[in-house]
Amino acid sequence: QKEVEQNSGPLSVPEGAIASLNCTYSDRGSQSFFWYRQYSGKSPELIMFIYSNGDKEDGRFTAQLNKASQYVSLLIRDSQPSDSATYLCAVNLDTGNQFYFGTGTSLTVIP
Amino acid sequence: KAGVTQTPRYLIKTRGQQVTLSCSPISGHRSVSWYQQTPGQGLQFLFEYFSETQRNKGNFPGRFSGRQFSNSRSEMNVSTLELGDSALYLCASSRTSGRGGDTQYFGPGTRLTVL
């Protein structure tokens, strides 16, 4: 059973719309949750992280965590063509920097 | 502040050979994690080193090994290369290594091709 699952997409949204990316995880002991963006041919770059239930906002990005449902999501408001990338969800179970990554959701923002 | 650097960026080897990849973390960061990224499996954790000690290890065979030096630079070694080892190997640097993990900053990766 995969620890972290994401819809692989591709997800297409028009420019200016809200993109919603979802991630579920299997281990209830998961401690922290990170979202990374990866452009084709590049390495992942951190968008934001969340530790507690609820919403966390950073600019156009909002991370939502629901530990009871084992669900974390990322909302991108006012999507731009430059947001077109693969978005990776990463989960940390306990101690140290061992993260489990989903296989990523490919997002395309159409101008 | 300089980012994470990895050398070499590209590598071509043949089956049965061994390879050593290098990672220099961000200055002041003491944790280095290694990941393998393939199209089918995504990012998979190999191991983490913190203060020269292996802290965590993923589910990879013993052919994959690593070490960390006193200046926090890390190397990973793959012996007896197999075709399936062809992948992008990513190094991630973090300041600390505590409960819940710490923000990781990724290097550009080393693209390994095994022929």
Side-chain angles (χ1 to χ4, degrees), chain B residues 23-25 29-32 51-52 68-74:
Chain B
C23 172
S24 292
H29 286 198
R30 295 164 60 195
S31 168
V32 173
S51 294
E52 301 180 66
Q68 186 179 36
F69 302 95
S70 59
N71 61 358
S72 294
R73 189 177 70 86
S74 178

Side-chain angles (χ1 to χ4, degrees), chain A residues 2 29 31-34 36 38 41-46 49 51 88 92-103, chain B residues 31 33 35 37 40-43 45 48 55-58 88 90 94 96-104 106-108:
Chain A
K2 287 189 176 180
Q31 297 291 319
S32 59
F33 309 85
F34 290 70
Y36 286 86
Q38 187 173 26
K42 302 293 186 181
S43 58
E45 56 179 339
L46 179 71
F49 58 87
Y51 292 94
L88 301 168
N92 184 282
L93 293 184
D94 193 0
T95 301
N97 293 314
Q98 178 172 3
F99 285 86
Y100 292 91
F101 280 80
T103 52
Chain B
S31 168
S33 297
Y35 293 86
Q37 188 173 32
Q41 298 296 317
L43 265 164
F45 175 80
E48 178 201 5
R55 190 177 180 124
N56 289 294
K57 189 178 191 305
L88 178 67
L90 290 161
S94 301
T96 64
S97 179
R99 185 169 177 81
D102 190 14
T103 300
Q104 295 189 314
F106 284 86

Side-chain angles (χ1 to χ4, degrees), chain A residues 2-3 7 16 21 29-30 33 59 71 75 77 85 98-100 109:
Chain A
K2 287 189 176 180
E3 287 86 1
N7 187 330
L21 305 163
S30 299
F33 309 85
Y71 175 95
L75 300 178
R77 290 182 301 281
Q98 178 172 3
F99 285 86
Y100 292 91
V109 180

